[in-house]
Amino acid sequence: MTGPLRERDDAQALVAGETERARAGTGGFVLLRGATGTGRTAVLERAARHAAGRGLRVLHARCSPEDTAVPFATVLQLLGPVPEFTDLTPGGDDRGSAARLWRLLRSYADEGPLLVAVDDVHLADDPSRRWLLEAARRLDRLPVLLVATERSQYDIDPRPAGLTQALSPSLVRTHTLAPLGDAAAAGIVRAAFPGAGPRWTAQCVRAGAGSPLLLHALLDDLRGAGSAPDGVPPLPATCAELYPGSYPAAVSWWLNSAGTATADVARCLAALEQAWPQDPDTDAGRLPAETGVGGLWGGAGAGGPDGLRVGRDAGGGHGPFPETYADGRGGLWGGADAGDPVDLLAEAAGADPARVAGWLAAMTRLGLLRRDASGRPRYAHPLLRDAVLTGWPRPRREAAHRAAAEASLRRGGRVEAVARHLLRTPAAGPPWALRVLRDAVTVAVHDARPADAVAYLRRALDEPLADDLRQRLLTELGSLEYASADAPAAIARLAEAQHLPAEPRNRVRTAVALGTALAARGEIRTAMDVLRRTEGRLSGHPGLARTVQAAGALLSDEDLATRQEVYRSLCETGEHTPEVLGTAGQALLVRYGATAGLISAEEAMTRVRALLAQPGDPLAEPYLLGTAAAVAQWADELDEAERLVERGLAGQHPALLHPMQHALLNTRADIAAARGDHARLLADDWRSDTAASRTGPTNRDAHALLALVHTGRTEEAERLAHAFDLRRAPEGWEVNRFLYARGVQRAAAGDVVGAVHDFLECGRRQTARDVVSPVVTPWRTAVAECRLALGGGQEALALATEELRLARVWNTPRTVGRALRVLGTATGGRRGLKLAEDAVRTLREGPVDTGTELIEALLAQGRQLLAAGERGRARDRLREAAELAERKGAVRLLGLAGQALRDSGARSPATAGTGSGALTGSERRIAELAAAGRTNTEIADLLHLARRTVETHLTSTYRKLRIRRRTELPAALGPARPHEARPVARD
């Protein structure tokens, strides 16, 4: 060990005081006890140097296991070469030998005071130990100080009694060396690396685990690892990256000194810890999808995902596992989330549970183990855990994991606790392994952890499986790999599953999953070929064939030419033999008619409701529900649409890739947009699903962009608008939606020419797809507004007139009201004012909240009233628009209403300056952090502000939100960030 001694002043002072007594003629015995690596030897050596400096003769011996069979080996080491003892052998006259050695020690003492230093006295041979004890009883009459060090650490195999157990406490001064405190350890780290930051220092302190031996060894390795520009090398993840390897060697020394049984328990704990959920405090932390209930393939499951505990069912009749699954998430032992690992560890290591419990407590007290947030004992740092495992053979690790899995299973452990151990065991495991792994997949999918589910499935596929079961598991695995954004691996798995024998329904599931993955990557032709080949093999199963046709029709939306071909065929079939299409195919034709401007909303809803009332195949139901939900949303039947979406998502197989999953989530976003719920649209979990593998923007990206524009977050909107290269994105309806949203962003940012380009390109693409109704992308009125801004009145009038015609075909307040508003602006004069009034009336009288459309209609009417000289009525409309915009968090429209009011000559504020829309940007940032549970001090540190500033902003926030308590913040905060809106005025 190198470096200065820290936190050892008491020990040094004790020895120094006893040294002075020996100089004065009164001897004594000092025993320095401590765990391995706490610096016993360093303190002893410092004491020897100090004694030599004070004139004492130093006799030194270091005990070792090799000398335990040699009588008096330790004493002979102390007293130097003694000729009469050269032939001493075990079984000789120990009493006579002890007497002669005692006389020799006295002869040394007669020459002057002595320090007798014995290191690691617990390793001394028995005759030497007895001799030292006898000497200790008589040293007070000699100028001799005996200082010995002894390992004092809890081991699995009980150690022999300590040296002083047979001595009267009055004859010995015992001092126990405690582990290093964090502050002292941090001082050692900073002395070695002055440029180290607090986080790096803290990680080194943890890896040192309170042991000077381990900490100095680690720092020695890091000095030899090369350094970064700041002089501080990165802390490696494994011991293999350490050079020259002093740290793992020190850990190995600690294990060897503890004995075989303790080392086995220590290594078992390290191995088992690898199967636990990662600890965010020390590991590189990682750590809700809609699912159905039951097994992954219908009736084969083991209960709902909210409750999975291993038991007799999981064993499949193999073995004595008396309990049943009850809860699949959280804890590892028994019913508690942070259960005691004693029994599990004892069984895996083959050790006495009582001794294991004592060892865990002792190691935690020493600092080598630490309890994580769930109460599990873990090694203080992953590097320490890796060092403990270094050199342990793989078969031993696998045996430990298998024993832990079996023990956890017998105790009703939670399914993922068992499965995580099975991940680290070889294939052809126990007969219950496959069932446990599959149930663990259910839990992981339910908790939206596809990567974990993938790991369990890969391990399950290592087991011996029948072809039909392998086919099902490969389909699940491919679907989950796709959800984990590993599309190439997913497609390979699904293609492999396609070539294995399976019953027809499972062949359809696999083909649909593979087609979905291929279409999302732009390989629509290949996807359609897969579906056609599958359909051709379904003779005798007309219902399944119709399901495959519906999947093909849905996926064809990703490619213009394919879509035209598919819907041409659908329309011809629907005209002559609609019953051949089934309910899903007929619903798709209703959707086509709605977007093509062929039917009204009332007719569309009548037809889809009739289709929903008919019995259908469960495999085809998702296509019917998803299509009906989209039509209902366009028809402004938002509550009904939401019920259909939730019903469709609940029926989705949680571990199977399906095109309607993405479509249903898109419709859910459409519903939120129709309601003006910007907060939900901007939530991260609403913008992430299997679309992660897509190369272009999604419909939810388009909605997020619009929400950013509406809430005044202009910089974020601009970044998102330019986040995709649309020239390289695959052609599809979602790109068209994003083009429209980007046009809105450009128009709001003042780039009217760029907005016109985006709107016209969106219109060209949509028209080519026969999507002419303004129910999806009202690009004509968007272009018209831009043309008006650029002075092109006639073209704007023509576009707005055409959109009003198409809107009246669909005939919902939202579409008609928008078209009336823009046409009124383009027309102007009394006729234009009348159209604007009709727009406001149409939107007010609609059956649902039309969100921002009513705000924009009120703005348009207010501006036209101003132009007509009716200032009083104009201010009423503009003030109403401002108040509605504030409630909706529509910051951009709030600013426009305020400007219009100022133009009208109004002076007093249009709104009361309260509510979430009245918060400044700084107030909102601080309020959001406070609502998330941050303290004022933490907020100040995060934002680099004074605490007083944080308190001042929160006081202002409470006043504006009309609340009194911090706990009311989450409910009171709205979605807007209104710092860019200027105050609005009243007359």
Side-chain angles (χ1 to χ4, degrees), residues 668-695:
R668 189 173 69 173
D670 294 341
I671 294 168
R675 287 177 167 153
D677 194 345
H678 307 310
R680 297 187 80 184
L681 292 169
L682 294 174
D684 289 339
D685 61 323
W686 270 54
R687 294 177 57 195
S688 59
D689 70 331
T690 53
S693 297
R694 295 171 178 259
T695 55

Side-chain angles (χ1 to χ4, degrees), residues 125-155:
D125 60 280
D126 288 341
S128 292
R129 288 169 62 86
R130 289 193 294 270
W131 186 90
L132 290 169
L133 285 172
E134 187 61 31
R137 295 188 178 98
R138 295 186 279 177
L139 285 179
D140 58 341
R141 290 166 281 178
L142 296 174
V144 178
L145 173 61
L146 171 59
V147 182
T149 68
E150 183 177 64
R151 181 179 179 275
S152 175
Q153 191 166 316
Y154 193 98
D155 294 320

